[in-house]
Each structure stands twice: as structure tokens, then as C-alpha cells.
Amino acid sequence: MSFTMGITPSADGLEGVSWNVVGQTYTPKLHSDNAFIWHATIPAETFVPPHIHPTQDEWIVVLEGQLEIEFGPDLFKAGPGDTVRMPKGIAHGIFNRSGAEASCVFGVAPSRKLYDLFVALDGVTDPVELVRLSALHEVDFLPPPDSE
């Protein structure tokens, strides 16, 4: 699949689509076999738990607000204008602990099954189902840390 030329307006998603994924709003902006790009509104105190994309490189460009990215025990902070690089096969978690909403643009290459995953996850709130669906779409969530 290749994408068509044109403009995706700032307030719109492709074909009017947007998804609620773990309390965050994702709006697709570009989708082809080679790349998938979406805008994300990440409310304060929401997060994407640590996970791995075994078949895709991922990146985030922060437009507004602050994000914290965990790569295993290492914590990095990203603000407006920063680009976060998350190579395939590397576990990462994305957290908004700033007390304010964040706005950013995410992308993955190649697209693989991520667009279809967001379709499947729209509105899903059960963590077990979220993990199950993600695994079917080449995203592997790590088990939660021990609560000892």
C-alpha cells in the first residue's frame, strides 16, 4: 500500500479516524507499508507501559509538554522540539508525569500491523485484552515489575 498525495489537516485524521488508546487520543496522519505517522494527545498522568516492537523502529517528536521515556532502568526526559528514537527490539515505556497534557507526533517504520492494532484497541480498557491484542499485532508488553 502506498499513500496518496495531499494534505491531512491538523485537526483531522485520515478518513476522519481517531482512536482512544489507553486514555490517549491517536489521530492517524499518514499510512503506507513503509511508514505510519500519527498525532497523539497524551493527558497528564497517562502512560504506555514498557513494550517492544520487534519489527519496527519508532520515534516521537514532542510538540508541547513533557514526556519521560524509560529504556529499562534508564530514564530520559523529552520536551518541545525533542525527538525520541526507539529502535526495534528495545523495550521502552512512555510516561506523562508532568501534570499537563502533552502533544506529539509518533511514527513507526515499517508500518507492519500497528495501524490495525490501534483499530483493535480503540476503547479497550481491560489490560489483559490490551496485551493479548498487542501480541497479535507484533507489540510485546513486558510483565509488570514485582510489587515486592
Side-chain angles (χ1 to χ4, degrees):
M1 156 196 2
S2 63
F3 61 88
T4 58
M5 66 180 171
I7 305 291
T8 305
S10 64
D12 297 340
L14 295 173
E15 300 175 4
V17 170
S18 72
W19 306 291
N20 179 328
V21 179
V22 296
Q24 302 170 6
T25 302
Y26 295 172
T27 308
K29 298 296 183 175
L30 178 147
H31 182 224
S32 74
D33 289 338
N34 298 317
F36 172 36
I37 298 173
W38 66 98
H39 178 269
T41 302
I42 303 177
E45 312 317 317
T46 64
F47 63 96
V48 179
H51 62 283
I52 296 171
H53 298 259
T55 60
Q56 299 168 302
D57 292 323
E58 183 177 18
W59 63 91
I60 305 168
V61 177
V62 179
L63 302 175
E64 298 175 344
Q66 302 286 323
L67 295 177
E68 293 182 357
I69 312 301
E70 293 181 0
F71 293 103
D74 299 322
L75 177 68
F76 297 87
K77 295 184 179 188
D82 292 340
T83 300
V84 180
R85 301 178 314 274
M86 299 166 285
K88 69 181 171 184
I90 304 295
H92 57 278
I94 303 159
F95 301 83
N96 181 352
R97 299 175 175 129
S98 70
E101 183 176 273
S103 172
C104 51
V105 173
F106 280 75
V108 293
S111 294
R112 306 285 298 174
K113 300 178 180 181
L114 200 61
Y115 186 98
D116 293 335
L117 174 59
F118 290 164
V119 170
L121 289 180
D122 186 26
V124 171
T125 58
D126 176 38
V128 173
E129 182 65 359
L130 184 139
V131 169
R132 185 188 76 77
L133 289 169
S134 296
L136 295 174
H137 292 85
E138 301 177 319
V139 176
D140 301 319
F141 280 90
L142 303 182
D146 292 336
S147 56
E148 297 180 79

